[in-house]
C-alpha cells in the first residue's frame, strides 16, 4: 500500500520520491512517522492520501479506520469506504497494467503528474552497490567467481483457489540440468528452506539474502527458473533471464512483467517435465 501526499510538484512523468510514503506495518504508525510540515506539502496542506492496490474490503476498512482517505477500485462492496472509488477498466489487463491504470486515475484526481499512459515493459530496478556486492559474496564459497549457474526457486507460499502453486518437477529438472553440466543453486528464505530441500535435494543451497541482494543474484544468474511467485517478479524487476512455470494462475494476468521472461504452462495445467527441460536448455544455449 502506498500513500501519496497531495502536491502539485513532481518530476516529469511521475511523482518525485519526496511526495509519497511507502507504508510498512500499521497505517497509524506510518502516519505518525511522516513528520513533513503541512506547509511544505502543497497548496491544500498536503493531507495524506492512500492508494489501495488490493481489491479487498479489509484493505479499504483499515485505511478508513485510520482516518486516511483513499482511492481504489470499486470491488467487494467497499465503495462506501473509499473517498475516490475508481471503476475497473473493461479490458482484461495484466496486474501491472491494472495497478498502473488505478495509480494514474488517482493521481489525475489529486493533481500531481500522472505519468505515461502505458507502463514501461522493463521495470529497471536499480540495484545499490551493497546489494550487487552481496550476491557474489554469497556465491564465493560454493562456486568459482566466473562459473555460470542456474537459479531455481522450487517454493511458493500460500494457495491459489485452494491449489498448490509449486510445479512438481523441480527435482527431475535439477538432476537433468546437472547431468548436462549446469550448476544449479537455490536461495530460499529461512522459512522455506526445508521445503526447497525436499523439492530439489541436489541443488546447492545458498545462504539467505536480503531482498535487494537476492534481486542482484537473479541478475547474475544465467537463468532463473521459478513458479509464478514473488521470485518471478523480483527477477523481472532486475531484468533477469527467467523461465516461469504456471499451473494454477493465468500468465496473462500475473506473469512476469519483463521482455526477458518466458512462460510455460497454463492456468489449468502444469507443463510436463520434458517441455520445461527443453525450454531451459534452449534459453541456456542462447537459442531464445
Amino acid at each position: 500500500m502506498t500513500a501519496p501526499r497531495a502536491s502539485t510538484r513532481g518530476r516529469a512523468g511521475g511523482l518525485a520520491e519526496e511526495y509519497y510514503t511507502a507504508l510498512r506495518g500499521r497505517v497509524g504508525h506510518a502516519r505518525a512517522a511522516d513528520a513533513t510540515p503541512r506547509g511544505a506539502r502543497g497548496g491544500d496542506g498536503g493531507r495524506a492520501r492512500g492508494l489501495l492496490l488490493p481489491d479487498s474490503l479489509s484493505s479499504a476498512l483499515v485505511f478508513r479506520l485510520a482516518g486516511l482517505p483513499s482511492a481504489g477500485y470499486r470491488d467487494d462492496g467497499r465503495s462506501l469506504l473509499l473517498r475516490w472509488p475508481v471503476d475497473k477498466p473493461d479490458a482484461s489487463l495484466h496486474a501491472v497494467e491494472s495497478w498502473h491504470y488505478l495509480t494514474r486515475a488517482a493521481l489525475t484526481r489529486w493533481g500531481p503528474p500522472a505519468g505515461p499512459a502505458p507502463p514501461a515493459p522493463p521495470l529497471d530496478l536499480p540495484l545499490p552497490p551493497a546489494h550487487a556486492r552481496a550476491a557474489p559474496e554469497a556465491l564465493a564459497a560454493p562456486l568459482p567467481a566466473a562459473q555460470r549457474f542456474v537459479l531455481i526457486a522450487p517454493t511458493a507460499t500460500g494457495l491459489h483457489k485452494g491449489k498448490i502453486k509449486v510445479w512438481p518437477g523441480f527435482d527431475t529438472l535439477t538432476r537433468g540440468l546437472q547431468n548436462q553440466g549446469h550448476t544449479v543453486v537455490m536461495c530460499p528464505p529461512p522459512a522455506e528452506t526445508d521445503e526447497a530441500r525436499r523439492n530439489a535435494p541436489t541443488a546447492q543451497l545458498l545462504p539467505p539474502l536480503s531482498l535487494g541482494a537476492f534481486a542482484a543474484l537473479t541478475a547474475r544468474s544465467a537463468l532463473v527458473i521459478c513458479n509464478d511467485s514473488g521470485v518471478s517478479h523480483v527477477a523481472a524487476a532486475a531484468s533477469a533471464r527467467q523461465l516461469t512455470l504456471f499451473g494454477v494462475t493465468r500468465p496473462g494476468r500475473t506473469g512476469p512483467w519483463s521482455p526477458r521472461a518466458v512462460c510455460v504452462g497454463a492456468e489449468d495445467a502444469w507443463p510436463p517435465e520434458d517441455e520445461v527441460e527443453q525450454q531451459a536448455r534452449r534459453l541456456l544455449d542462447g537459442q531464445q
Side-chain angles (χ1 to χ4, degrees):
M1 300 179 185
T2 307
R5 306 172 191 149
S7 172
T8 57
R9 295 177 290 175
R11 289 193 293 259
L15 282 174
E17 290 184 2
E18 61 266 30
Y19 301 122
Y20 68 84
T21 302
L23 298 188
R24 301 176 179 88
R26 297 181 181 179
V27 175
H29 290 176
R31 292 193 71 191
D34 181 10
T36 305
R38 285 178 177 261
R41 297 185 186 175
D44 65 353
R47 287 191 63 188
R49 300 175 180 186
L51 176 62
L52 304 184
L53 301 184
D55 290 347
S56 64
L57 179 64
S58 60
S59 63
L61 182 60
V62 165
F63 272 52
R64 181 64 177 266
L65 293 176
L68 192 64
S70 303
Y73 280 131
R74 300 179 190 271
D75 200 7
D76 201 16
R78 66 183 193 159
S79 295
L80 293 178
L81 299 174
L82 299 172
R83 176 74 62 83
W84 300 277
V86 177
D87 292 327
K88 288 188 174 182
D90 294 332
S92 177
L93 301 178
H94 188 281
V96 170
E97 296 173 307
S98 176
W99 294 331
H100 187 81
Y101 177 92
L102 173 61
T103 302
R104 294 190 76 249
L107 292 176
T108 298
R109 298 185 187 191
W110 295 339
L123 298 176
D124 293 329
L125 176 71
L127 297 173
H131 293 160
R133 289 193 299 268
E137 289 172 359
L139 293 166
L143 298 179
Q147 184 169 336
R148 295 176 79 221
F149 64 93
V150 177
L151 175 65
I152 64 168
T155 62
T157 58
L159 303 175
H160 179 73
K161 297 181 179 179
K163 297 179 180 180
I164 296 173
K165 298 189 296 181
V166 179
W167 182 61
F170 274 102
D171 184 20
T172 301
L173 173 66
T174 299
R175 295 175 190 272
L177 292 175
Q178 290 170 331
N179 288 338
Q180 297 160 25
H182 296 288
T183 298
V184 182
V185 305
M186 57 184 178
C187 185
E192 299 175 29
T193 297
D194 289 342
E195 181 187 0
R197 283 176 168 154
R198 288 192 300 270
N199 293 345
T202 64
Q204 295 189 44
L205 182 66
L206 301 181
L209 295 174
S210 68
L211 183 60
F214 182 79
L217 182 69
T218 68
R220 285 182 62 92
S221 68
L223 179 66
V224 178
I225 305 177
C226 55
N227 305 290
D228 178 23
S229 62
V231 171
S232 173
H233 303 302
V234 170
S239 297
R241 168 62 81 188
Q242 68 171 295
L243 176 60
T244 306
L245 313 175
F246 288 81
V248 298
T249 52
R250 285 185 292 150
R253 171 65 180 173
T254 61
W257 189 258
S258 169
R260 303 197 71 213
V262 173
C263 300
V264 294
E267 183 177 8
D268 57 355
W270 288 108
E273 293 173 355
D274 58 347
E275 178 185 350
V276 174
E277 184 171 342
Q278 290 171 11
Q279 183 65 71
R281 291 174 62 182
R282 284 195 291 268
L283 291 170
L284 288 167
D285 293 342
Q287 299 176 16
Q288 185 172 344

